[in-house]
Amino acid sequence: MQLDFQKMPDGLVPVIVQDAHTGQVLMLGYMNQEALTKTEQEGRVTFFSRSKQRLWTKGETSGHFLTVVSLHEDCDQDALLIRAIPDGPTCHRGTTSCFEQVGQTAYPAPAVSFIAELERLVQRRHQFPEEDAKSYTASLFRKGMPKIAQKVGEEAVETVIDAVGGNIDGLKGEAADLLYHLLVLLTAAGLGLEDVVDVLRQRHSTISQGVRREE
């Protein structure tokens, strides 16, 4: 990292922390060079607390650490974006984000954020089935790939039937069922949404290049 701490009178640069899975902005903090070095070395987000005048690792009291996925400096090298995986609520009030009001969301989360959150829950049910052995998701994983694949097929057919029949309310429900069961299928196969999105990105890039060549 080539952050220019000297730009700031107090030697601190603002740091935005974003959920690496959902894209949701979790919090804003400040770092000096020592905090950045500690973050890079330990893989957990550490700030410089302006009120306590010392280094402060997020989660050192609550246990809700922020595990670093990637760090990105801005174009002027005086701000930092950290993509991280939160281990529990980020805000001290118990909310996922510091930009939420207790009991309600301060801003509408993109649909893709919820799908990513749902995928993370499905993956946890697969990894730790004993946490909620009675859940429908855990029961699907116990039944294995043939049953999961069967459910995906059933939901796909029902989605098509409602779409062709013009049943909009039914279509929304069946499409939701299809998306959920597809997440379960991908997880059971050792894949995730990112693997599918990578294919879409490659296809989009190929199509875009073809269009540019035609132009």
Side-chain angles (χ1 to χ4, degrees), residues 195-211:
D195 297 295
V196 178
V197 172
D198 282 343
V199 175
L200 292 173
R201 288 194 184 105
Q202 292 169 14
R203 291 178 180 175
H204 175 72
S205 176
T206 300
I207 292 173
S208 297
Q209 291 173 6
V211 170

Side-chain angles (χ1 to χ4, degrees), residues 88-143:
T90 297
C91 185
H92 68 281
R93 299 169 303 170
T95 56
T96 299
S97 167
C98 292
F99 294 92
E100 290 178 281
Q101 300 300 317
V102 177
Q104 63 180 8
T105 302
Y107 55 90
V112 67
S113 295
F114 177 76
I115 293 175
E117 183 179 342
L118 179 60
E119 180 188 37
R120 186 158 55 184
L121 176 60
V122 168
Q123 291 172 341
R124 187 166 186 86
R125 290 286 182 267
H126 184 249
Q127 186 177 5
F128 305 105
E130 70 282 356
E131 285 187 350
D132 191 356
K134 295 182 179 180
S135 73
Y136 176 64
T137 305
S139 71
L140 278 176
F141 285 127
R142 285 195 298 270
K143 292 174 182 176

Side-chain angles (χ1 to χ4, degrees), residues 135-171:
S135 73
Y136 176 64
T137 305
S139 71
L140 278 176
F141 285 127
R142 285 195 298 270
K143 292 174 182 176
M145 181 62 82
K147 181 60 177 179
I148 297 171
Q150 178 186 338
K151 288 298 297 181
V152 172
E154 291 173 357
E155 301 301 344
V157 170
E158 292 170 0
T159 299
V160 170
I161 290 174
D162 280 332
V164 174
N167 182 2
I168 300 303
D169 287 337
L171 174 59

